[in-house]
Amino acid sequence: MIISSLADSVTRGFENIGDAVSGALFEPVIRLGVTGLSRAGKTVFITSLVANLMDRGRIPGLLAASEGRISAAFLQPQPDDTVPRFDYETHLAALTSPVPHWPDSTRAVSELRLSIRVRPAGLLAGLTGPRTIHIDIVDYPGEWLLDLALMDKSYAEWAEGVLQAMTRRTDTESFLAMARAAEANDTWNEPAIKALAESYTATLHSGREAGLSGLTPGRFLMPGEMEGSPALTFAPLPPVERPARRSLWREMERRYTAYKRKVVTPFFRDHFARIDRQVVLVDALGAIHAGPPALADLQRTMTDILAAFRPGSNAFLSRLFTGRRVERILFAATKADHLHHKQHARLTGIIEALTREARDRADFSGAVTQGMSIAALRATVEETRTHDGRSLNCVRGTLLETGRQAAFYPGELPDSPAKLVNAARDGSDKWLDEEYRIMKFAPAVLDLKPGEGPPHIRLDRAAQFLLGDRL
Ligand code: GDP
């Protein structure tokens, strides 16, 4: 452990020097992390952000753009040859085709470099010419951040905690029976390990469908390119007094340790610890629609995920982050185009309330944070309708399932976010006063004029918060 931590901080040290030198003498680089749970909207966010930075007609909220200081934005080969490239062109083609459709979602880490030629603002404007700033966008599943909880735990500790949490669920009986019946002190064999791992992974999926949080290992839900590898084939087993060499229990322990060393550590070291600015996307509306248990669960998951942004909370992270930290974190409630704009402030209140507990704990070691409601790709228009003598603020769009146009009233979010968050925490099954409905809209057919990016809601303000001070 000591050796590996030493090695980790040594590489980081060199990297910091490298960054500082290239920042001072050459062209500055901003690494922008984009994360969130599966289906939160990462792929759509990155695609629309890049398209809007390239064609800047719809981003007045980004000051460098509205002041006319950006002369060009273009994609470049990314610096990390071994990381898959974010497939921007395919995703944009999906959104802008004559019959638009949503692109494939994030399944693993990917990267894209966007370079911007910008004239400095203020006093420096007259002194220096335009310079190039590189924005390295790093897209990764929020599920992977949950693995941080494993880093300071032994296999026995992790297994005990996980098995105990499972006893409170009904969908885990068959795995629990299998784990208890396993001959943990006998010599291991691959079919036994595989069967246990598969059954365990099935409990993770069913837990997620039920809206549970803190499901680990995170890669079991989002394996990316590692699917089926031994480091991802293990499961928790009850403790064994003195496990024999080559026993099933020892092999599970070995694989758990390999998972932490070969899967979790490289991700945190090579990707996570190098991020300067971070946006955490949250499908809060989806959780509100699913009901109080899902919202309560989202809040717990956010707290788990956000622990990753407080290096002090974890010994492994503190070693990794020597001398470096994420400077800005934006918490964005996505898909705000499902709501009339009169409700956006309430949605922002909810995202702030959802992340408050995590934020209050340590204020992310000095990082600047903000909550916002956004739609990276606006799929609706607003409409006010009268229904039973009451005027309703609706949104209209093309329904994904039928392809038909429909106006839709999602329900009125409460004026105080505490009403929702507390009801969720109190363990109620249903919202008391309102039904919150949600429809799946297809992306709208776009008729873009030259110089115009895709329509959005507050994507430019998000960009201003995340990047504006450096442009
Ligand atoms: P990822 O798993 O985080 O990469 O999520 P995606 O970016 O693939 O988004 C998941 C789904 O959410 C999409 O297929 C869309 O149905 C929906 N979605 C994402 N962003 C928006 C948005 O701005 N507006 C609307 N209406 N739907 C969105």
Side-chain angles (χ1 to χ4, degrees):
M1 205 56 181
I2 289 173
I3 292 175
S4 83
S5 71
L6 205 61
D8 283 346
S9 43
V10 169
T11 18
R12 296 258 352 111
F14 277 122
E15 200 176 80
N16 286 342
I17 294 167
D19 285 358
V21 170
S22 70
L25 298 180
F26 305 108
E27 291 164 343
V29 176
I30 309 172
R31 285 182 78 86
L32 171 64
V34 179
T35 198
L37 295 170
S38 165
R39 315 290 297 163
K42 300 178 286 296
T43 309
V44 177
F45 177 89
I46 297 173
T47 308
S48 184
L49 178 69
V50 172
N52 274 293
L53 285 170
M54 303 234 275
D55 286 306
R56 294 174 292 283
R58 279 196 222 257
I59 50 169
L62 181 66
L63 292 182
S66 59
E67 290 168 3
R69 292 190 286 107
I70 301 181
S71 54
F74 45 95
L75 293 172
Q76 294 229 68
Q78 67 199 46
D80 304 296
D81 284 332
T82 54
V83 182
R85 181 178 181 275
F86 179 84
D87 195 359
Y88 169 72
E89 292 77 7
T90 306
H91 298 326
L92 185 68
L95 293 173
T96 53
S97 82
V99 188
H101 53 277
W102 296 109
D104 290 342
S105 298
T106 300
R107 306 205 59 78
V109 65
S110 69
E111 201 178 279
L112 189 70
R113 169 167 282 195
L114 178 74
S115 301
I116 298 188
R117 291 281 291 164
V118 59
R119 262 188 305 110
L123 288 175
L124 286 178
L127 299 175
T128 53
R131 46 186 198 140
T132 303
I133 296 173
H134 304 293
I135 303 169
D136 287 344
I137 302 174
V138 185
D139 174 28
Y140 65 93
E143 282 80 359
W144 292 6
L145 294 180
L146 295 172
D147 281 342
L148 191 64
L150 272 54
M151 291 314 291
D152 289 341
K153 277 191 194 139
S154 68
Y155 172 68
E157 287 163 347
W158 170 75
E160 191 192 344
V162 167
L163 291 170
Q164 201 170 17
M166 279 185 160
T167 55
R168 294 191 286 270
R169 289 164 53 187
T170 51
D171 56 337
T172 52
E173 276 160 16
S174 91
F175 169 74
L176 285 175
M178 213 169 155
R180 286 189 195 116
E183 307 285 354
N185 220 0
D186 286 1
T187 305
W188 67 275
N189 64 74
E190 191 62 35
I193 291 198
K194 200 162 162 240
L196 280 158
E198 277 172 6
S199 175
Y200 179 64
T201 308
T203 69
L204 295 179
H205 284 286
S206 64
R208 189 169 52 207
E209 268 154 42
L212 287 180
S213 73
L215 298 166
T216 55
R219 288 291 168 108
F220 282 36
L221 286 166
M222 276 278 152
E225 77 288 2
M226 306 225 33
E227 190 146 18
S229 58
L232 262 60
T233 313
F234 64 89
L237 287 179
V240 167
E241 192 64 26
R242 236 174 273 119
R245 281 182 62 218
R246 305 190 53 74
S247 65
L248 179 65
W249 199 93
R250 278 263 181 254
E251 179 62 12
M252 291 290 197
E253 182 188 41
R254 192 193 67 74
R255 291 186 186 197
Y256 170 86
T257 311
Y259 175 79
K260 290 203 299 185
R261 206 176 57 238
K262 300 204 177 128
V263 179
V264 185
T265 303
F267 164 68
F268 276 92
R269 184 193 56 215
D270 301 340
H271 301 294
F272 186 72
R274 296 167 59 205
I275 285 168
D276 304 307
R277 308 284 164 106
Q278 176 71 53
V279 52
V280 181
L281 302 173
V282 187
D283 183 6
L285 283 176
I288 294 169
H289 164 68
L295 191 69
D297 196 72
L298 178 64
Q299 183 170 29
R300 279 194 298 273
T301 313
M302 290 314 296
T303 309
D304 290 348
I305 285 184
L306 298 182
F309 297 99
R310 291 184 287 118
S313 67
N314 183 294
F316 162 73
L317 268 193
S318 319
R319 286 196 299 272
L320 222 51
F321 271 92
T322 32
R324 192 183 178 116
R325 64 178 166 84
V326 179
E327 301 153 336
R328 285 173 173 247
I329 310 173
L330 175 68
F331 302 104
T334 52
K335 313 180 195 180
D337 56 330
H338 285 91
L339 294 180
H340 191 275
H341 74 271
K342 291 209 164 126
Q343 292 212 55
H344 287 176
R346 294 183 176 188
L347 182 60
T348 307
I350 289 165
I351 186 79
E352 283 179 339
L354 279 177
T355 50
R356 178 144 310 132
E357 194 175 310
R359 286 209 256 173
D360 283 352
R361 277 201 203 155
D363 200 20
F364 300 114
S365 320
V368 185
T369 63
Q370 193 176 331
M372 214 180 262
S373 303
I374 65 165
L377 191 92
R378 181 176 200 153
T380 63
V381 291
E382 297 187 341
E383 198 171 285
T384 302
R385 292 200 159 195
T386 315
H387 182 73
D388 290 342
R390 199 172 146 213
S391 132
L392 295 181
N393 288 323
C394 303
V395 291
R396 164 187 283 282
T398 308
L399 297 182
L400 197 58
E401 274 180 4
T402 59
R404 304 238 311 258
Q405 279 269 322
F408 160 69
Y409 173 70
E412 203 77 25
L413 292 174
D415 49 2
S416 150
K419 282 190 191 149
L420 281 190
V421 175
N422 292 345
R425 215 181 280 161
D426 292 346
S428 357
D429 284 342
K430 282 205 174 128
W431 303 119
L432 286 181
D433 322 329
E434 280 268 16
E435 282 289 308
Y436 300 107
R437 293 186 302 144
I438 200 118
M439 296 255 125
K440 285 220 165 105
F441 291 109
V445 177
L446 299 181
D447 180 17
L448 302 181
K449 298 193 186 72
E452 256 182 14
H456 62 83
I457 298 171
R458 276 186 286 279
L459 190 62
D460 52 346
R461 304 254 199 98
Q464 175 64 27
F465 174 77
L466 290 165
L467 309 167
D469 63 315
R470 298 277 303 269
L471 298 179

